Every structure is written in structure tokens, then in C-alpha cells.
């Protein structure tokens, strides 16, 4: 009935898999949990404990193939009609997490369901605040708000869908660098008029990177966005950064934006890595950085 697909990279997925196994076995349905380790260099012993357990398939991919290819491969290995994609650094927020999705399969006509993300309320260490605040404000969106903008509010970190959808609209394997591979997949669903049903069934995102790491990953993703736009994989109208940059260029303000960014970059970065990071300044920083990227 249900294949749970978990890509792993340098994270201990065993607590998540154990929780999912306990929940699903209470329901008495056919299932499999497929875990593919994408050439990790850490937590190998912890993840190895998943091997040879009933209902669990665990495999190490010897060469890192990336976030798009690993998800496509997971789907290819799945045997059931419905698949649940989960990031390895998550955990259910309730003990009926799987049941809610099984109910969706049984009672709904839709073929894609996004359950949402949540963040633990406890304040993390000071050097991890940027990731926590960003997650709470930008990713942990209530279901009523998500439903109003179903495609832009969806992520692939906690999504239930029919297997054939990924087979027919696979993740874009030309995206080799970090960032926006999930965005491209979701917008492929939009282009093909495949609706996303939002439900209240979130998972906690657990892996709070240090602010320095999170900022660097964001800049890498923005570089990748610029590249994807240059290759026409993402159109300029599909992202807020793209539309804002085009407006600045139209009114002759792009060079001024770059000048001001170069002037204030150090101060902006100091705030983002502080104990009181501002998401407004984060947006300003990202826009200035995006405008500063030279054409490919």
C-alpha cells in the first residue's frame, strides 16, 4: 500500500525509521521503508543498524549522486502505488502521522498531499538562530495559509504522492548543484496542472545548521538559481528574487542595488550571524547578492 522513501546524507536516520515502523505496523497495512544513503561519510554505523530489519530496505550508494537522482532512484525501487518522501532529518509531530496519510489515500481523490513542516519551540544555541528563525517564519506555515498558495508553499521534505507522478515527472537530474531542485519539481507539477492538497500533518525539522553554514548554503542555492534561470529551467517570473531583480533593472536601479550591497555586506552579515538576526535584512542580503552575480 505505501512505500516510505528516505534519502540520507550524513545524518542518523535510524530514530526516524524506527518511529515510522512502529506507527505503520499498528495500522496493519502493507508497507516498505526504503533508505538510500547517498555516499555519506558520517553516521555509517548508526544507519547500518537499519539493514536486514523486516520491512526496511537499506543501501549505501557508493558515489554521491545528488538530491535529484537519489529521489528518482528511491521511487524506481518502490513497489507500491503511493510513496511518502521524507527528509532524513525530520520526525513526526504526532503518533498518528502515518494514519493521517493512510486516511488521505483511502478517502481523497487527489494524488499529492503535503503535510507541512514544524520547528521545536525551544530556542537553540545562539550560533544556530538564523536557521531556526527562518524555519519558524518561512517554512512552518499553517495549513490554512498554505492552501491559498499551494505550489509555492509545498516542499518535498514531507510529501505523499502517487509513484507514477515521479516516474512521469522525475526530479531534474541536470541540477547538480545545491538548491531549487525541489522548487523545479513542484513547479513541474504546476505546469502539468497536478494539484497539491495541503493537510495538517507536519514533521519537525531537526537539523539546525550553524548560521554560518546556513547562510553559505543559501548563497550556493542563489548561485544555482541564477544558473537555472540562465538555462531556462526556471523562469524569472517564478521567483520573488527574479521578479524583483527584473523590476530593479527596468527602473535603472540594479547597479545602485549592487553598490549598496557592496557597501553594507559586512554589516548585513554581522546581523545575520548575531543573536538577533533579521529576516528582512536576510532578504536584503539575498537580493543584493543575487543582483551581484555575473552572467553565465
Amino acid at each position: 500500500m505505501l512505500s516510505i522513501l528516505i534519502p540520507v546524507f550524513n545524518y542518523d536516520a535510524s530514530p526516524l525509521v524506527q518511529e515510522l515502523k512502529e506507527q505503520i505496523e499498528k495500522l496493519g497495512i502493507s508497507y516498505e521503508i526504503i533508505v538510500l544513503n547517498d555516499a555519506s561519510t558520517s553516521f555509517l554505523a548508526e544507519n547500518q543498524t537499519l539493514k536486514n530489519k523486516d520491512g526496511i530496505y537499506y543501501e549505501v550508494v557508493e558515489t554521491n549522486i545528488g538530491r535529484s537522482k537519489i529521489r528518482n532512484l528511491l521511487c524506481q525501487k518502490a513497489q507500491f502505488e503511493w510513496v511518502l518522501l521524507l527528509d532524513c532529518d525530520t520526525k513526526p509531530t504526532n503518533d498518528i502521522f502515518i494514519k493521517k496519510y493512510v486516511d488521505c489515500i483511502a478517502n481523497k481523490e487527489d494524488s499529492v498531499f503535503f503535510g507541512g513542516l514544524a520547528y521545536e519551540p525551544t530556542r537553540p544555541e545562539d550560533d544556530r538562530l538564523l536557521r531556526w528563525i527562518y524555519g519558524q517564519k518561512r517554512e512552518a506555515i499553517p495549513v490554512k495559509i498554505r492552501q491559498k498558495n499551494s505550489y509555492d508553499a509545498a516542499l518535498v521534505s514531507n510529501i505523499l504522492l502517487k509513484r507514477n507522478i515521479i516516474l512521469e515527472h522525475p526530479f531534474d537530474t541536470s541540477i547538480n548543484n545545491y538548491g531549487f531542485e525541489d522548487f523545479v519539481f513542484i513547479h513541474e507539477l504546476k505546469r502539468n496542472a497536478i494539484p497539491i492538497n495541503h493537510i495538517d500533518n507536519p514533521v519537525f525539522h531537526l537539523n539546525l545548521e550553524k548560521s554560518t553554514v546556513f547562510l553559505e548554503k543559501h548563497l550556493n542555492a542563489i548561485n544555482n538559481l541564477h544558473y537555472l534561470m540562465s538555462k531556462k529551467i526556471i523562469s524569472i517570473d517564478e521567483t520573488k528574487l527574479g521578479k524583483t531583480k527584473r523590476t530593479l533593472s527596468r527602473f535603472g536601479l540594479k547597479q545602485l542595488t549592487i553598490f549598496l550591497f557592496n557597501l553594507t555586506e559586512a554589516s548585513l552579515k554581522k546581523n545575520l550571524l548575531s543573536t538577533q538576526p533579521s529576516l528582512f535584512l536576510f532578504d536584503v542580503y539575498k537580493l543584493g547578492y543575487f543582483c551581484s552575480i555575473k552572467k553565465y
Side-chain angles (χ1 to χ4, degrees):
M1 181 180 189
L2 178 63
S3 299
I4 302 176
L5 311 180
I6 305 174
V8 175
F9 183 70
N10 289 341
Y11 198 83
D12 180 7
S14 59
L16 170 63
V17 174
Q18 183 60 36
E19 169 67 19
L20 296 172
K21 182 175 171 62
E22 291 175 4
Q23 286 199 21
I24 202 166
E25 287 187 343
K26 291 178 182 178
L27 301 176
I29 63 171
S30 301
Y31 78 95
E32 62 181 353
I33 302 175
I34 305 177
V35 182
L36 292 186
N37 192 329
D38 195 11
S40 295
T41 57
S42 58
F43 299 103
L44 297 178
E46 291 86 346
N47 289 315
Q48 189 67 21
T49 63
L50 299 173
K51 198 166 187 177
N52 300 323
K53 288 189 175 182
D54 289 342
I56 300 173
Y57 175 83
Y58 175 77
E59 179 183 343
V60 177
V61 180
E62 297 299 329
T63 302
N64 184 270
I65 61 176
R67 293 159 60 89
S68 293
K69 289 182 180 179
I70 198 74
R71 290 187 172 99
N72 289 340
L73 183 57
L74 280 161
C75 186
Q76 292 162 14
K77 289 181 176 292
Q79 63 173 308
F80 293 112
E81 179 186 9
W82 286 88
V83 299
L84 172 60
L85 275 173
L86 284 173
D87 280 359
C88 62
D89 55 357
T90 62
K91 75 172 183 179
T93 60
N94 59 74
D95 59 4
I96 55 170
F97 172 75
I98 295 296
K99 183 180 184 303
K100 285 186 176 183
Y101 276 135
V102 171
D103 289 344
C104 289
I105 294 172
N107 301 323
K108 303 288 185 180
E109 295 181 358
D110 296 299
S111 55
V112 183
F113 299 87
F114 175 59
L117 286 184
Y119 284 78
E120 298 277 13
T122 304
R123 178 187 172 100
E125 299 92 333
D126 288 347
D127 62 353
R128 300 177 188 271
L129 280 173
L130 180 60
R131 182 68 185 95
W132 181 65
I133 291 172
Y134 180 89
Q136 284 195 324
K137 300 296 184 181
R138 299 287 172 82
E139 294 177 337
I141 305 172
V143 64
K144 289 184 179 180
I145 297 176
R146 286 192 273 119
Q147 287 170 339
K148 296 176 182 178
N149 199 5
S150 63
Y151 294 102
D152 289 339
L155 299 167
V156 299
S157 47
N158 174 25
I159 193 166
L160 173 76
L161 66 169
K162 288 187 175 180
R163 176 173 176 265
N164 71 289
I165 290 178
I166 300 180
L167 295 178
E168 294 171 8
H169 308 281
F171 287 86
D172 191 333
T173 56
S174 70
I175 305 175
N176 296 316
N177 297 320
Y178 174 83
F180 287 90
E181 60 283 327
D182 53 348
F183 179 94
V184 171
F185 175 75
I186 293 296
H187 279 259
E188 176 68 9
L189 301 185
K190 182 178 182 179
R191 293 185 191 107
N192 287 275
I194 300 173
I196 298 177
N197 192 316
H198 287 256
I199 67 170
D200 185 17
N201 196 28
V203 291
F204 284 121
H205 179 268
L206 302 177
N207 188 21
L208 297 180
E209 304 107 330
K210 289 186 176 181
S211 298
T212 52
V213 174
F214 180 64
L215 179 59
E216 185 64 26
K217 287 178 68 174
H218 235 83
L219 299 186
N220 290 339
I222 291 173
N223 278 315
N224 204 36
L225 172 62
H226 194 276
Y227 171 77
L228 296 173
M229 285 183 174
S230 73
K231 297 299 182 181
K232 311 299 182 184
I233 296 174
I234 295 177
S235 76
I236 196 168
D237 291 321
E238 287 181 317
T239 68
K240 186 176 180 180
L241 275 177
K243 289 187 287 188
T244 304
K245 179 181 177 181
R246 185 181 61 180
T247 300
L248 291 172
S249 297
R250 182 180 298 165
F251 289 97
L253 297 174
K254 179 185 171 184
Q255 291 305 316
L256 177 61
T257 300
I258 295 173
F259 172 78
L260 292 174
F261 173 70
N262 291 332
L263 192 67
T264 61
E265 180 181 5
S267 297
L268 291 171
K269 189 172 182 180
K270 183 178 180 180
N271 169 267
L272 299 179
L273 303 181
S274 73
T275 58
Q276 293 182 314
S278 164
L279 292 187
F280 171 75
L281 294 182
F282 193 26
D283 291 338
V284 171
Y285 189 98
K286 290 188 293 183
L287 177 61
Y289 183 85
F290 185 60
C291 289
S292 301
I293 299 174
K294 295 180 180 181
K295 294 183 179 180
Y296 284 91

